[in-house]
Amino acid sequence: MSNEKGPDHSRRKERSRQAIFAATRALVVEEAYEKVTVEAIAARAGVGKQTIYRRWPSKSAVVFAALLALSEDADGQSVALPDTGDLEADLKLVMRATAEEFADPSFDRLIRALNTEIANDAALAAEYREKLARPLEEAKKARLRGAQEAGQLAADADLDLVLDVLYAPLFQRWLHRSGPLTAAYADSLVDATLRAFRP
Amino acid sequence: MSNEKGPDHSRRKERSRQAIFAATRALVVEEAYEKVTVEAIAARAGVGKQTIYRRWPSKSAVVFAALLALSEDADGQSVALPDTGDLEADLKLVMRATAEEFADPSFDRLIRALNTEIANDAALAAEYREKLARPLEEAKKARLRGAQEAGQLAADADLDLVLDVLYAPLFQRWLHRSGPLTAAYADSLVDATLRAFRP
DNA sequence: CTCGCAATACGGATCGTCTCGTTTAGTCGA
DNA sequence: TCGACTAAACGAGACGATCCGTATTGCGAG
């Protein structure tokens, strides 16, 4: 007798959870963000509103969780940057790929929604940093540490600063739509960063 | 006979316009942003809702216009960076001042609201770039051009890129609350940028 | 039979529209 | 010069629609 826990409702729960996430993502991608409503999510997921509010306290939390889960699934456990030994080539590869990601309309809408939520909620912002930003940063910093040991990067460089200088311009250009995210732009960011922090 | 234009109702218009802007700014500063409603703005400004909707198509547009007007007033016509001939000192002065501005809670809320609006509306983003970002950028680029001529900056440097590398990390750190905006951080951004683009 | 869930009704709040008297600025006649 | 007249703009707020978050109900799986 499983008197410890109730019977196995976890599968049912998990199914509706995934349905809610899928519906949320679909709506964020295809509708104007302000039209993404809890009622629309529930209808599309084929669940009752109460099932959503039973698990998350607000619409923001649902959207955030859906996007967070997306990245967690995608990443799996293995977040690692390429390491061919050629720092410049590796970084340009990664930066070009990042620029392309941002150029994808679906990705654009998803990340824009995510940024909207975390820009106005310090608690969500902290959770975002903890669960998404930090692991990615650690992976990037691991690659940079290797470069420092190989003498391709200043040994005393502040790696947080290096990452800021490398990524923030791309992010800002995307967020403010102040220019196209071309491969050339990605390359020039890598070049500038490497000049700033060369040994 | 002024058959060209109707009678001069501009004073009345202008008074309510300023009242609406003042009320909007006050509410953005002191309330959580989602509590800034058109009804609250109208009540505080002592105007009818229709007076607001007669001039702007949506709440977003009102908020945006109020914040835009704030900066336009503040700037006046003279946007110019200090130019003592010492590029590094001038930039550190400006970057430290910028970091302090972002640390001010009122300024923080105003700019956060502004960014929320423009992140999800490409038209507002374009207007923002045109009316606010561009003039500031031009002033900054004018200072950098002087530095290029004085041989303090690489003559072939892309000034848009220089500005991105200089400012974007500060902006992103503020937006994502990923770290404190200290004078030391401001200085290190100037140092990194000057290393990346030295002659 | 029992229990969790989908469906849906509900109250509260806000948006954006509409209507209604009132105020205001400009016009004109005495 | 001055006080009524007119038309536009206005403050106030009622209204329908929509959405949030809560509470209730009826059904179907186990």
Side-chain angles (χ1 to χ4, degrees):
Chain A
M1 287 176 269
S2 58
N3 52 1
E4 168 74 22
K5 201 106 178 256
D8 181 22
H9 295 301
S10 58
R11 255 176 306 193
R12 238 176 138 182
K13 280 185 160 184
E14 188 55 26
R15 213 181 317 141
S16 65
R17 181 186 172 86
Q18 291 305 329
I20 290 166
F21 283 173
T24 303
R25 290 175 204 141
L27 286 171
V28 166
V29 166
E30 73 197 35
E31 304 270 0
Y33 184 57
E34 62 271 11
K35 299 211 68 179
V36 178
T37 68
V38 173
E39 263 150 7
I41 294 172
R44 182 137 183 172
V47 305
K49 279 168 60 175
Q50 195 57 250
T51 302
I52 294 179
Y53 282 110
R54 216 189 317 270
R55 287 177 217 176
W56 297 279
S58 69
K59 186 183 116 175
S60 297
V62 184
V63 172
F64 181 73
L67 304 187
L68 199 65
L70 183 67
S71 299
E72 280 174 345
D73 295 353
D75 285 0
Q77 311 293 2
S78 60
V79 216
L81 269 59
D83 189 350
T84 66
D86 182 343
L87 179 62
E88 180 185 332
D90 289 351
L91 288 183
K92 284 184 176 173
L93 195 69
V94 171
M95 289 291 284
R96 285 179 178 217
T98 305
E100 268 181 38
E101 260 188 339
F102 278 119
D104 174 54
S106 295
F107 187 84
D108 180 293
R109 289 180 190 240
L110 287 169
I111 304 302
R112 227 168 262 280
L114 183 61
N115 270 282
T116 300
E117 297 300 339
I118 68 181
N120 291 294
D121 186 325
L124 287 187
E127 196 180 346
Y128 162 79
R129 283 201 311 280
E130 195 65 32
K131 296 192 177 169
L132 266 187
R134 169 129 47 192
L136 258 176
E137 271 176 25
E138 287 306 324
K140 292 168 183 167
K141 280 159 80 173
R143 176 65 185 87
L144 294 182
R145 252 182 238 112
Q148 283 181 315
E149 286 159 14
Q152 296 174 322
L153 202 64
D156 63 342
D158 176 348
L159 295 187
D160 286 311
L161 182 65
V162 176
L163 287 180
D164 281 357
V165 169
L166 185 60
Y167 283 94
L170 191 70
F171 172 78
Q172 187 182 15
R173 184 172 273 231
W174 165 78
L175 186 68
H176 284 169
R177 299 179 168 94
S178 50
L181 301 187
T182 61
Y185 183 69
D187 286 355
S188 65
L189 283 177
V190 173
D191 292 336
T193 303
L194 291 183
R195 282 199 304 273
F197 298 101
R198 68 187 149 202
Chain B
M1 286 179 270
S2 59
N3 53 1
E4 169 75 22
K5 202 107 177 251
D8 179 22
H9 292 131
S10 58
R11 255 176 306 191
R12 237 179 137 186
K13 282 183 158 187
E14 189 54 26
R15 215 180 315 141
S16 64
R17 183 185 170 85
Q18 291 305 328
I20 291 166
F21 283 173
T24 303
R25 289 174 204 143
L27 286 171
V28 167
V29 166
E30 73 198 34
E31 304 269 0
Y33 184 57
E34 62 271 12
K35 299 214 67 179
V36 178
T37 68
V38 174
E39 263 151 9
I41 294 172
R44 182 140 184 170
V47 305
K49 281 169 56 175
Q50 190 63 356
T51 301
I52 294 179
Y53 282 110
R54 201 172 291 134
R55 292 185 209 168
W56 297 281
S58 68
K59 185 183 115 174
S60 297
V62 185
V63 172
F64 180 74
L67 304 187
L68 199 65
L70 182 66
S71 298
E72 281 174 345
D73 296 350
D75 285 1
Q77 311 293 2
S78 60
V79 218
L81 269 60
D83 190 349
T84 65
D86 182 345
L87 179 63
E88 179 185 335
D90 289 351
L91 287 183
K92 285 185 176 173
L93 195 67
V94 171
M95 288 293 282
R96 285 180 179 215
T98 304
E100 269 181 37
E101 259 188 339
F102 278 120
D104 175 55
S106 294
F107 188 84
D108 180 292
R109 289 179 191 241
L110 287 170
I111 303 303
R112 225 167 264 280
L114 184 60
N115 270 281
T116 300
E117 298 301 340
I118 67 181
N120 290 295
D121 187 325
L124 288 187
E127 197 180 346
Y128 162 79
R129 283 201 312 279
E130 196 64 32
K131 297 193 176 167
L132 266 186
R134 169 132 43 196
L136 259 176
E137 271 176 24
E138 287 306 325
K140 292 168 184 170
K141 280 159 80 173
R143 176 66 185 87
L144 293 182
R145 253 182 238 110
Q148 283 181 318
E149 286 159 13
Q152 297 175 321
L153 202 65
D156 65 341
D158 176 349
L159 296 187
D160 286 311
L161 182 64
V162 176
L163 287 180
D164 280 358
V165 169
L166 186 59
Y167 282 94
L170 191 70
F171 172 78
Q172 185 181 339
R173 184 173 273 230
W174 165 78
L175 186 70
H176 284 167
R177 300 181 168 94
S178 51
L181 302 186
T182 60
Y185 184 69
D187 287 354
S188 65
L189 283 177
V190 174
D191 293 335
T193 303
L194 292 184
R195 281 199 305 273
F197 298 103
R198 68 188 149 201

